[in-house]
């Protein structure tokens, strides 16, 4: 079976490989190991560079709009409590996920496979993650289109198209181009982010005091409300799947060694869960800017980040405030939407490779993700921001909480393997521990969200999703004694191997390409080693190795637990 036009690098007198990949799929400088383990030979960036690139993606201004929406709807006190509570939940669940992705060189989908969901069980989470990327691409694109409309009069419908097309050349080139764009635009973004608050500190020094007593625009009042707190937290928690986008960069983190472990730990913490600290500050800052601009521009425009930015800069920059605000917004949205488009292409690749057993290359799925995002923009999804994000967060938090529970609880209790097994050859199709927990938690919380259990359950539906997932994942793993994690043994029980051993390459019997040890499995059908991607794409093997583990024959080589990493 071939995936498309073949790529034959074998000698003239040798038979062609049994599978060859299309040019786009075979070029890892663009493909970025989208469906497989990121080898050490590709992880050539320093911890600081990887962290900087990952953090560059959180330049988005949806935080401004989300924070303003929460505070305008539920008042300052309830809004502040909502934003801070969501930040704590996102931070705590993000720590184990970030460390797992950085340690094992795997993206969020591959970690999910081995963290309680199974090979096909994680297919659903690929769709959940893909929906996160195109929902937020549409949201960020709408903000950019609003800025272009206000700056140069470009119709927003045409602006949606421009915001979609502008990211394609960057995302097409992969991690190398993304790292450069994030580094080059960072100074502009920092200045644009800080300047409005500096101006207001001099021009409106009493604004913060007035903001702290703001009761919202819908009569919520300045005091604390449990209903407002619950509903606001649900909206803020829609950002929980952002850890997946951070993980798409963290998988390129170099192996942790004694020499770099301090920098490595700091980089993973900052670029993984640490994004939400900046994110929460942006939500509060965005709400403050919108509050200051409210009287001048009205509620609708105050929720659009370009208008508050412009009003804040006007006292110092005068006629230059509009171009300055527009440049800041456009740069911010390009920084995040290249990440949204990139992560979306990875997620769709993972989904379709399992469903269709074909992989034409990551770059083709960029267009699918962008087409969906463009459709959402044209449908004016920005107007339904609160409801859409509140609904999405029920599903997203059930998924993330289940994965975090497996990494923190199940693995330490011995119900889950001590490493992340992502290869089809060793996994059950569905693992009820994580998949079942997510399905039950999200179903109950969605019913609560739509009012099935009363107003308080509706307000706290995301807490229901998180609580159920955190409890059910370990409970199901304990009840099943962890039997659905590994369909057949993989020799991972030994001590950590040295990086030099792990980076030894082994040739896949199907595509005849050499891959590092963690990307290789034993295949009884091919009577030799097979790479994880060729294994995923095989539609004719009948899963012999999983159905009859004895047929897999002797183990060809050991597989490491934690790649060259110290445990602290």
């Amino acid at each position: 079976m071939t995936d498309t036009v073949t790529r034959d690098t074998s000698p003239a007198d040798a038979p062609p490989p049994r599978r060859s990949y299309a040019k786009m799929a075979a070029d890892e400088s663009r493909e970025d190991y989208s469906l497989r383990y990121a080898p050490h030979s590709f992880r050539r960036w320093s911890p600081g560079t990887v962290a900087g690139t990952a953090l560059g993606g959180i330049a988005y201004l949806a935080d401004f709009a989300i924070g303003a929406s929460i505070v305008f709807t539920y008042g300052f006190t309830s809004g502040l409590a909502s934003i801070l509570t969501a930040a704590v939940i996102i931070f705590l669940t993000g720590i184990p996920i970030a460390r797992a992705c950085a340690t094992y060189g795997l993206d969020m989908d591959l970690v999910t496979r081995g963290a309680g969901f199974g090979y096909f069980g994680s297919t659903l989470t690929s769709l959940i993650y893909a929906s996160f990327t195109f929902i937020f691409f549409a949201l960020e694109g709408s903000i950019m289109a609003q800025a272009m409309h206000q700056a140069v009069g470009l119709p927003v419908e045409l602006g949606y198209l421009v915001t979609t097309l502008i990211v394609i050349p960057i995302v097409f080139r992969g991690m190398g181009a993304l790292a450069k764009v994030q580094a080059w635009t960072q100074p502009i973004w920092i200045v644009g982010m800080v300047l409005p608050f500096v101006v207001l500190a001099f021009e409106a020094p009493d604004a913060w005091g007035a903001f702290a007593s703001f009761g919202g625009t819908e009569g919520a009042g300045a005091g604390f409300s449990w209903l407002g707190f619950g509903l606001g937290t649900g909206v803020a928690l829609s950002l929980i799947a952002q850890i997946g986008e951070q993980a798409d960069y963290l998988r390129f983190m170099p192996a942790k060694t004694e020499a770099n472990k301090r920098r490595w730990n700091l980089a993973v913490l900052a670029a993984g869960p640490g994004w939400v600290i900046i994110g929460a500050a942006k939500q509060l800052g965005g709400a403050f800017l919108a509050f200051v601009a409210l009287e001048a521009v009205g509620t609708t425009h105050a929720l659009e980040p370009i208008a508050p930015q412009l009003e804040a800069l006007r006292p110092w920059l005068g006629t230059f405030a509009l171009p300055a605000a527009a440049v800041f917004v456009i740069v911010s949205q390009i920084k995040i939407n290249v990440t949204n488009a990139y992560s979306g292409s990875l997620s769709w690749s993972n989904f379709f490779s399992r469903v269709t057993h074909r992989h034409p290359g990551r770059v083709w799925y960029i267009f699918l993700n962008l087409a969906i995002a463009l459709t959402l923009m044209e449908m004016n999804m920005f107007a339904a921001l609160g409801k859409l994000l509140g609904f999405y967060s029920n599903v997203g938090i059930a998924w993330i909480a289940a994965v975090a529970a497996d990494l923190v609880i199940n693995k330490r209790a011995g119900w889950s393997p001590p490493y992340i097994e992502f290869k089809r050859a060793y996994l059950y199709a569905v693992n009820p521990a994580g998949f079942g927990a997510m399905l039950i938690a999200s179903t109950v919380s969605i019913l609560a969200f739509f009012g099935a259990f009363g107003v308080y359950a509706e307000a706290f539906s995301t807490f229901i999703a998180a609580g159920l997932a955190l409890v059910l994942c370990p409970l199901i793993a304990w009840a099943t004694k962890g039997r659905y994690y590994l369909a057949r043994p993989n020799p991972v029980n030994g001590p950590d191997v040295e990086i030099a051993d792990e980076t030894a390459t082994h040739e896949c019997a199907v595509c005849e390409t050499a891959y590092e040890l963690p990307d290789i499995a034993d295949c009884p059908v091919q009577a030799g080693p097979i790479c994880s991607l060729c294994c995923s794409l095989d539609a004719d093997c009948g899963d012999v190795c999983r159905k009859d583990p004895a047929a897999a024959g002797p183990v060809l080589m050991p597989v490491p637990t934690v790649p060259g990493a110290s445990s602290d």
Side-chain angles (χ1 to χ4, degrees), residues 299-321:
T299 302
T300 300
H301 290 300
L303 295 174
E304 302 171 358
I306 179 65
Q309 188 84 6
L310 174 60
E311 290 302 314
L313 295 177
R314 202 187 299 276
W316 281 14
L317 299 186
T319 57
F320 293 102

Side-chain angles (χ1 to χ4, degrees), residues 172 214 380:
F172 204 83
F214 180 52
N380 191 26

Side-chain angles (χ1 to χ4, degrees), residues 1 31 34 64 123 157 180 183 186 219 249 257 271 282 310 319 323 335 381 452-453 459 469 479 487-488 504 525:
M1 169 184 164
E31 187 64 7
S34 61
F64 278 27
T123 304
E157 293 78 11
K180 292 177 182 177
Q186 200 71 348
Y249 293 116
T257 64
K282 286 165 58 190
L310 174 60
T319 57
K335 285 170 73 66
M381 65 152 285
F453 309 123
R488 65 176 172 119
V525 175

Side-chain angles (χ1 to χ4, degrees), residues 4 16 38 119 136 154 177 222 233 242-243 282 310 316 329 351-353 377 417 419 427 478 529 535 559:
T4 44
Y119 182 72
F136 276 88
L154 184 71
T233 304
Q242 177 66 31
I243 189 61
K282 286 165 58 190
L310 174 60
W316 281 14
V329 172
F351 173 77
F352 281 108
S353 69
M377 283 189 277
Y419 70 106
L427 294 173
W478 168 79
C535 182
V559 180

Side-chain angles (χ1 to χ4, degrees), residues 404-474:
D406 180 88
L407 296 173
V408 174
I409 302 173
N410 296 2
K411 291 195 180 304
R412 294 187 179 185
W415 304 322
S416 173
Y419 70 106
I420 305 294
E421 181 55 77
F422 68 95
K423 295 181 285 295
R424 173 191 179 188
Y426 301 106
L427 294 173
Y428 280 100
V430 176
N431 185 341
F435 183 78
M438 183 198 73
L439 201 61
I440 295 170
S442 59
T443 299
V444 173
S445 66
I446 288 172
L447 289 173
F449 178 77
F450 284 109
F453 309 123
V455 293
Y456 278 94
E458 177 183 351
F460 287 87
S461 63
T462 50
F463 289 86
I464 294 173
L468 282 177
L470 286 170
V471 171
L472 288 175
C473 183

Side-chain angles (χ1 to χ4, degrees), residues 25-268:
D27 183 1
E28 294 298 353
S29 66
R30 287 185 171 86
E31 187 64 7
D32 281 354
Y33 296 89
S34 61
L35 299 181
R36 59 168 88 243
Y37 160 83
H40 290 287
S41 60
F42 191 75
R43 296 187 238 167
R44 59 185 182 272
W45 297 277
S46 69
T49 298
V50 175
T53 303
L55 288 173
I58 66 165
Y60 55 86
L61 298 183
D63 271 339
F64 278 27
I66 290 171
S69 177
I70 292 173
V71 172
F72 276 27
T73 304
Y74 307 113
F76 173 80
T77 304
S78 298
L80 174 64
S82 297
I83 291 169
L84 295 181
T85 300
V88 170
I89 294 172
I90 292 172
F91 187 86
L92 293 177
T93 56
I95 292 173
I97 293 173
R99 290 183 64 86
C101 292
T103 298
Y104 293 99
L106 304 175
D107 65 18
M108 189 67 200
D109 178 77
L110 300 187
V111 167
T112 299
R113 287 186 197 178
F117 282 72
Y119 182 72
F120 273 106
S122 64
T123 304
L124 177 59
T125 64
S126 290
L127 287 179
I128 295 172
Y129 184 30
S131 65
F132 173 86
T133 64
F134 62 66
I135 286 172
F136 276 88
F137 187 103
L139 177 57
E140 308 294 352
S142 297
I143 292 171
M144 191 193 304
Q146 293 161 2
M148 291 189 291
H149 173 70
Q150 188 150 347
V152 297
L154 184 71
V156 289
E157 293 78 11
L158 185 57
Y160 297 151
L161 180 61
V162 173
T163 63
T164 302
L165 296 178
I166 198 170
V167 304
I168 293 177
I170 302 168
V171 182
F172 204 83
R173 296 179 62 85
M175 175 65 177
L178 292 172
K180 292 177 182 177
V181 167
Q182 300 295 5
W184 293 344
T185 55
Q186 200 71 348
I188 298 174
W189 181 80
I190 292 173
V191 172
M193 177 62 67
V194 173
L195 186 58
F197 297 98
V198 174
V199 174
L200 290 176
F202 285 92
E203 300 295 330
D206 298 328
W208 277 108
F211 179 53
S213 60
F214 180 52
T217 58
E218 300 182 21
F224 180 79
S225 162
W226 282 107
L227 287 176
F229 166 69
L231 290 168
T233 304
V235 174
L237 280 173
S238 64
L239 293 164
I240 196 167
Q242 177 66 31
I243 189 61
E245 294 197 346
Q246 304 306 112
D248 288 337
Y249 293 116
L250 287 173
R251 66 197 175 106
F252 298 126
M253 192 69 70
K256 183 170 68 170
T257 64
E258 285 298 320
N260 73 358
K261 68 179 182 180
R262 181 172 296 180
R263 289 180 290 114
W264 191 96
N265 286 327
L266 180 60
V268 170

